[in-house]
């Protein structure tokens, strides 16, 4: 146990050290440069904006990690996003980090901003934009500008969010140029900081090149111009601190909002300490363990009512409470179990009976308007003649259908493996979870590394042999090692988080808190569409 705990803690500590570096953005020199202009950094602005003593639950910290290294990288995608409480109201906060390439937008920056807006739209959360950006990173404009999920979608969303009645407040606290100028101005209200904030469709150099006019940026689009001449912005602020205080005041004066009314009672502590989770989770991801023992560290004590306990035992389904909130849980059981029919079933694999059970449970939760929580440690659906003859595909399709059409909020935690169609059935990113988090132990891929590497090697070796090149056993072993290393690097939780396949890598001890906040956010949206499944495979 001690060695296991030490191994987990070493892994988490390594991640935390990297996170500390990511939070430095462009580094100390760039931070000092912002301070010399009289500006706060993006993280300092967020800290000043949220209620004192409250927690900022960041999303997308790892976005861009290991990417764009040929141009110096893009820590946290050059923008900070997350949930924060402002004057007692839960909000989605988006703050450009000017220490990273002057806040320029890379492709992953666009994806992260769109995800923040998506979270706000799905949960009806007020949006606060702290704008300080040089605009699109021009060398990559073809990957940022023209497509459906590119830069223009941000402003389309501004309009849609406004039409939904979701408040949007923007503060121009630095540069805001070209198409990016529409973001704050399409918000409900816009503030601008005098002396540092500026907003225009074209800066002074481009104006000179385009029409030959000589004008400085302050005259062109500074605070005085836009609050006293053009009327583009609504509030002229003397400095960052006053601007942030004014936003707090505006949010504090927002009117009432409806909720979904999800069931919540007084919270009860879990039966086991959160710190126990690491003792109960094997470092070796192939080893079995009891997922119920992990759930005991997350759910309120004595709150679990298991659904079809003796049937489809490789999936745990049941109703529970987390911090008082009523939830339906679908979790992969990692123990080896024996069915009443005498079949030994491998933990982490979805069989026909477990898929059938989960589909029914998901439909029940939609019927009862109970949010769903999925905990992944899944290697996929069972394969082989017996499973195929038993209809595993149709039973899996039934579960995927129920997950796809589910209309109650879905929250996903990737605890360990999340492979192949198991990722889909357990509400992976493609299935619209309101929030999706991953533990440091998570791995996301189409299949496990060993199987994938051997398959890839067979394909590549066959191709070489068709061209007349014969490999020795030693060369094949070396080839397999290279392929395995490449594939394994793409299954890591850092790789997934860098590409926003998950919203955040979280410490297991944070899980209960993250789920509770996610449910609080989901409760802000009173609209739950009618649940319909279409044709169900039977």
């Amino acid at each position: 146990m001690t060695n296991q705990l030490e191994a987990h803690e070493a892994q988490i500590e390594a991640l935390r050290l990297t996170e500390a570096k990511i939070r430095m953005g462009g580094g100390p020199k760039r931070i000092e440069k912002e301070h010399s202009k009289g500006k706060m950094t993006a993280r300092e602005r967020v800290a000043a904006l949220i209620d004192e003593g409250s927690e900022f639950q960041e999303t997308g910290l790892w976005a861009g990690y290991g990417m764009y290294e040929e141009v110096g990288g893009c820590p946290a995608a050059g923008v900070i996003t997350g949930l924060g409480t402002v004057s007692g109201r839960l909000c989605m906060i988006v703050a450009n980090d000017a220490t990273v390439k002057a806040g320029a937008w890379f492709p992953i920056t666009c994806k992260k901003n769109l995800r923040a807006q998506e979270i706000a739209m799905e949960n009806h959360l007020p949006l606060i934009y702290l704008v300080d950006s040089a605009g699109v990173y021009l060398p990559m404009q073809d990957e940022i500008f023209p497509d459906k999920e590119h830069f223009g979608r941000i402003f389309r969303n501004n309009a849609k969010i406004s039409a939904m009645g979701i408040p949007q407040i923007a503060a121009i606290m630095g540069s805001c140029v070209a198409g990016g100028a529409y973001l704050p101005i399409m918000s409900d209200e816009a503030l601008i900081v005098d002396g540092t904030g500026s907003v225009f469709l074209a800066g002074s150099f481009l104006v000179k090149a385009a029409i030959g006019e000589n004008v400085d940026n302050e005259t062109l689009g500074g605070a005085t111009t836009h609050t006293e001449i053009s009327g583009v912005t609504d509030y002229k602020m003397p400095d960052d601190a006053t601007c942030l205080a004014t936003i707090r005041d505006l949010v504090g004066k927002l009117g009432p909002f409806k909720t979904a009314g999800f069931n919540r009672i007084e919270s009860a502590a879990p039966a086991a300490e959160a710190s126990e989770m690491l003792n109960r989770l094997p470092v070796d991801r192939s080893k079995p363990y009891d997922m119920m023992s992990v759930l005991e560290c997350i759910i309120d004590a004595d709150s679990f009512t298991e659904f079809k306990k003796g049937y489809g035992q490789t999936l745990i389904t049941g109703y529970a409470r987390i911090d008082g909130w009523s939830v339906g849980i679908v979790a992969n059981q990692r123990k080896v179990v024996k069915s009443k029919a005498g079949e030994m079933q491998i933990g982490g694999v979805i069989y026909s009976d477990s898929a059938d059970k989960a589909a029914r449970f998901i439909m029940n939760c939609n019927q009862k308007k109970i949010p769903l929580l999925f905990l992944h440690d899944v290697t996929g659906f069972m394969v082989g003649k017996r499973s195929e003859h038993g209809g595993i595909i149709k039973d899996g399709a039934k579960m995927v259908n129920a997950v796809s059409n589910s209309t109650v909020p879905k929250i996903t935690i990737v605890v360990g493996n999340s492979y192949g169609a198991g990722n889909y059935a357990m509400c992976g990113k493609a299935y619209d979870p309101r929030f999706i988090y991953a533990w440091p132990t998570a791995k996301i891929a189409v299949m496990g590394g060993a199987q994938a590497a051997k398959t890839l090697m067979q394909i590549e070796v066959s191709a070489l042999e068709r061209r007349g090149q014969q490999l020795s056993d030693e060369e094949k072993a070396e080839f397999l090692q290279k392929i395995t290393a490449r594939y394994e690097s793409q299954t890591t939780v850092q790789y997934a988080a860098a590409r926003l396949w998950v919203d955040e890598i979280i410490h297991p001890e944070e899980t209960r808190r993250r789920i509770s906040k996610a449910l609080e956010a989901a409760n802000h949206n009173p609209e739950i569409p009618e649940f319909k499944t279409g044709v169900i495979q039977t």
Side-chain angles (χ1 to χ4, degrees):
M1 282 291 186
T2 303
N3 290 340
Q4 176 172 292
L5 183 60
E6 287 174 354
H8 279 307
E9 288 179 341
Q11 182 185 37
I12 291 168
E13 180 60 22
L15 288 173
R16 293 297 177 251
L17 288 172
T18 304
E19 287 174 350
K21 186 176 179 181
I22 293 171
R23 288 191 176 94
M24 291 297 291
K29 289 184 179 179
R30 291 305 307 260
I31 291 171
E32 182 52 41
K33 186 177 180 181
E34 293 302 298
H35 287 165
S36 69
K37 297 176 184 176
K39 296 165 64 179
M40 295 179 179
T41 66
R43 293 191 178 277
E44 289 167 345
R45 287 166 176 167
V46 171
L49 177 65
I50 64 174
D51 293 351
E52 188 174 351
S54 68
E55 180 186 21
F56 177 64
Q57 287 198 353
E58 189 163 0
T59 58
L61 173 65
W62 287 82
Y65 177 72
M67 299 166 69
Y68 317 117
E69 291 182 344
E70 68 281 3
V71 293
C74 186
V79 64
I80 295 154
T81 61
L83 300 179
T85 304
V86 179
S87 296
R89 188 79 171 258
L90 188 63
C91 300
M92 170 54 72
I93 300 169
V94 179
N96 298 116
D97 187 351
T99 72
V100 179
K101 297 288 191 296
W105 289 56
F106 284 71
I108 195 66
T109 315
C110 195
K111 187 174 182 179
K112 184 171 174 178
N113 275 268
L114 286 170
R115 176 59 179 152
Q117 287 184 320
E118 181 180 46
I119 290 171
M121 293 167 82
E122 288 179 336
N123 299 287
H124 287 202
L125 299 177
L127 261 160
I128 299 171
Y129 305 101
L130 307 180
V131 184
D132 194 345
S133 171
V136 165
Y137 184 67
L138 284 176
M140 294 182 178
Q141 66 85 26
D142 61 319
E143 300 176 57
I144 306 167
F145 173 72
D147 211 343
K148 181 179 179 180
E149 298 297 326
H150 284 180
F151 199 53
R153 192 77 171 183
I154 302 287
F155 321 124
R156 174 265 190 192
N157 284 353
N158 285 139
K160 291 289 187 179
I161 291 165
S162 183
M164 291 171 70
I166 299 170
Q168 296 177 92
I169 298 172
I172 302 161
M173 308 182 81
S175 298
C176 182
V177 300
Y182 286 108
L183 185 148
I185 310 311
M186 292 187 74
S187 299
D188 300 338
E189 294 181 284
L191 305 85
I192 186 167
V193 178
D194 193 17
T196 55
S198 59
V199 55
F200 33 65
L201 292 180
S204 55
F205 291 121
L206 185 53
V207 167
K208 174 69 174 174
I211 63 174
E213 183 179 25
N214 287 305
V215 62
D216 63 86
N217 282 341
E218 186 63 29
T219 304
L220 189 65
T224 298
T225 293
H226 284 311
T227 55
E228 298 177 27
I229 299 173
S230 71
V232 165
T233 57
D234 307 306
Y235 305 92
K236 180 180 178 181
M237 299 284 104
D239 50 44
D240 280 10
T242 307
C243 183
L244 296 166
T246 304
I247 294 172
R248 288 182 49 78
D249 178 67
L250 292 170
V251 173
K253 291 183 169 70
L254 290 175
F257 62 95
K258 295 178 181 178
T259 68
F262 293 128
N263 185 313
R264 191 183 194 188
I265 62 172
E266 187 176 344
S267 176
E273 294 291 333
S275 57
E276 266 297 301
M277 274 188 280
L278 295 180
N279 278 324
R280 300 179 180 192
L281 188 74
V283 173
D284 183 345
R285 303 307 307 118
S286 65
K287 286 188 175 179
Y289 66 92
D290 186 358
M291 180 61 87
M292 273 306 307
S293 71
V294 173
L295 284 171
E296 285 175 359
C297 304
I298 299 172
I299 66 175
D300 294 10
D302 301 321
S303 70
F304 193 63
T305 305
E306 191 161 359
F307 177 80
K308 291 185 182 289
K309 181 177 181 179
Y311 179 72
Q313 296 175 71
T314 62
L315 275 176
I316 296 169
T317 54
Y319 306 101
R321 291 192 182 275
I322 295 177
D323 197 22
W325 292 102
S326 170
V327 294
I329 294 175
V330 180
N332 299 111
Q333 175 58 281
R334 283 297 307 272
K335 290 195 308 183
V336 177
V337 298
K338 187 176 182 180
S339 72
K340 274 290 183 182
E343 181 186 15
M344 297 302 297
Q345 296 184 336
I346 303 164
V349 177
I350 302 175
Y351 291 76
S352 284
D353 54 358
S354 47
D356 180 67
K357 174 173 82 169
R360 175 68 179 273
F361 180 72
I362 290 164
M363 289 188 274
N364 279 350
C365 287
N366 277 271
Q367 179 84 346
K368 298 177 179 182
K369 301 294 185 287
I370 299 174
L372 281 157
L373 171 66
F374 294 84
L375 284 92
H376 289 214
D377 200 343
V378 58
T379 51
F381 285 86
M382 191 58 192
V383 296
K385 185 175 76 172
R386 180 174 179 175
S387 292
E388 297 293 358
H389 288 189
I392 186 65
I393 295 176
K394 67 177 175 65
D395 289 318
K398 187 189 306 181
M399 183 177 175
V400 170
N401 190 317
V403 172
S404 302
N405 287 302
S406 177
T407 58
V408 294
K410 299 176 297 234
I411 300 159
T412 297
I413 310 291
V414 185
V415 171
N417 303 320
S418 186
Y419 294 157
N423 171 278
Y424 302 160
M426 292 295 294
C427 195
K429 184 65 183 291
Y431 290 79
D432 297 326
R434 296 282 182 97
F435 297 89
I436 177 168
Y437 298 118
W439 287 7
T441 45
K443 282 185 176 291
I444 301 173
V446 70
M447 65 177 73
Q451 303 97 305
K454 287 175 183 175
T455 304
L456 288 167
M457 190 188 78
Q458 287 169 0
I459 293 168
E460 295 194 30
V461 168
S462 296
L464 289 171
E465 289 176 345
R466 282 196 299 272
R467 294 197 294 269
Q469 185 176 346
Q470 295 295 320
L471 298 180
S472 67
D473 290 342
E474 290 78 11
E475 287 173 323
K476 286 180 181 179
E478 185 180 349
F479 200 29
L480 178 61
Q481 189 176 14
K482 287 180 180 178
I483 291 172
T484 301
R486 185 181 69 207
Y487 187 85
E488 288 287 357
S489 71
Q490 295 173 354
T491 70
T492 65
V493 71
Q494 297 97 319
Y495 191 92
R499 288 152 184 80
L500 293 172
W501 300 347
V502 297
D503 290 320
E504 196 67 63
I505 303 171
I506 63 171
H507 192 300
E509 292 185 21
E510 293 178 62
T511 305
R512 179 177 161 90
R513 201 163 67 247
R514 286 276 184 170
I515 294 169
S516 179
K517 185 64 71 175
L519 291 166
E520 179 189 343
N523 197 43
H524 280 62
N525 183 353
E527 298 172 10
I528 304 175
E530 183 184 357
F531 177 61
K532 298 177 181 179
T533 60
V535 177
I536 283 277
Q537 292 290 331
T538 57

